[in-house]
Amino acid sequence: MRCSIIPLGKSFMTHAQIAELLGYVAAACVFVTFYMKTMVPLRIAGIVSNVLFIGYGYAVDAYPVLILHVVLLPLNILRLHQMLALIRQVEDATRGELHLDWVKPFSSMRNVEAGEVLFHRGDPAHEMFFVVSGRFRVTERSIDLNAGDVFGELGLLHAGQTRSAGVECTEAGQLLRISYDQVKQLYVQDPKFGFYFLHLVSKRLFHNLSLASEQSDKADESPSPISTSPS
């Protein structure tokens, strides 16, 4: 062990005391990592503990400790980088729209003619759709769907997996369709798609609630019919 004496203000600390201090601080960082509940602070605390244990291992010639944390340090840095990249992807998913080129490998193309009914309300639901071209109409709600819109996703969450409304093609076009089984696999495998799907469903639900509220307000404002007795 190195036995140099290092001045520290008015007092002096031996090399052994500094090494011991590094060991205690590193051990405290390890304890903090067990206390952390979120991954980013945990990785940061892990990186700090790796650096301190490397200093401790070098100071006391504890080469097993030194080698272990030299290996763990880049691993923790890599995991932190991946976690931060994932957070950025999630933020992008909640702000933007899903790119159709990314969905194409998991979907199939369907040509639709004007007047064709894709499904009725109450029909079994097995897939969701991305509008590539053409125009479609949600019959019960009188809502038009154009290129770039997504529909059919609520059937995955609907009780019994049935359609909550019907959709009819009003202008010939193309759809990308993706089965619910593939949606489930993507939801588990790709967090970006999972957060996009949650964002899409919540947006649709709030939109439907807004439409229902507007229809209710209009019904309350409409005058009630006045009954007249026959003359």
Side-chain angles (χ1 to χ4, degrees):
M1 181 184 294
R2 302 166 183 83
C3 298
S4 58
I5 300 177
I6 301 175
L8 187 63
K10 294 182 179 180
S11 61
F12 291 87
M13 291 186 67
T14 65
H15 195 92
Q17 289 173 324
I18 293 176
E20 186 177 4
L21 179 61
L22 284 175
Y24 281 123
V25 177
C29 287
V30 173
F31 174 78
V32 169
T33 60
F34 284 98
Y35 178 76
M36 295 291 182
K37 294 182 179 180
T38 52
M39 290 302 297
V40 171
L42 186 150
R43 290 296 178 185
I44 293 174
I47 290 170
V48 173
S49 71
N50 292 150
V51 173
L52 292 173
F53 269 120
I54 289 172
Y56 172 77
Y58 176 78
V60 300
D61 296 332
Y63 293 112
V65 174
L66 176 64
I67 294 171
L68 173 63
H69 288 277
V70 165
V71 173
L72 289 177
L73 178 59
L75 180 60
N76 270 322
I77 292 174
L78 174 64
R79 292 294 183 238
L80 177 62
H81 173 73
Q82 291 174 337
M83 186 59 61
L84 293 176
L86 177 59
I87 291 173
R88 287 193 295 269
Q89 289 181 346
V90 168
E91 290 173 349
D92 292 340
T94 55
R95 284 197 303 262
E97 296 296 332
L98 192 64
H99 202 281
L100 291 182
D101 289 340
W102 187 85
V103 178
K104 283 180 181 178
F106 307 95
S107 60
S108 58
M109 186 72 72
R110 175 176 174 179
N111 296 316
V112 188
E113 300 296 331
E116 183 177 345
V117 177
L118 295 175
F119 49 79
H120 297 91
R121 181 176 183 177
D123 284 353
H126 304 292
E127 55 194 0
M128 59 185 289
F129 300 89
F130 298 81
V131 181
V132 178
S133 62
R135 182 173 297 175
F136 301 82
R137 191 170 184 81
V138 183
T139 52
E140 283 81 4
R141 302 188 179 98
S142 299
I143 299 174
D144 289 324
L145 303 170
N146 301 299
D149 288 333
V150 182
F151 65 94
E153 75 285 352
L154 288 182
L156 178 60
L157 305 177
H158 196 274
Q161 285 196 352
T162 57
R163 299 296 185 187
S164 59
V167 173
E168 180 182 0
C169 179
T170 57
E171 180 183 315
Q174 291 183 317
L175 295 171
L176 286 176
R177 58 182 181 182
I178 179 170
S179 70
Y180 287 161
D181 288 338
Q182 290 172 314
V183 171
K184 292 174 183 176
Q185 292 177 13
L186 288 172
Y187 185 89
V188 173
Q189 295 173 2
D190 194 305
K192 183 175 180 179
F193 179 85
F195 274 88
Y196 170 81
F197 186 77
L198 290 175
H199 177 66
L200 176 67
V201 170
S202 61
K203 181 179 178 181
R204 184 81 69 193
L205 289 173
F206 280 118
H207 180 67
N208 290 347
L209 287 173
S210 177
L211 289 177
S213 178
E214 290 177 3
Q215 293 174 354
S216 177
D217 291 342
K218 289 179 181 179
D220 292 339
E221 292 174 0
S222 61
S224 57
I226 301 174
S227 59
T228 57
S229 57
S231 57

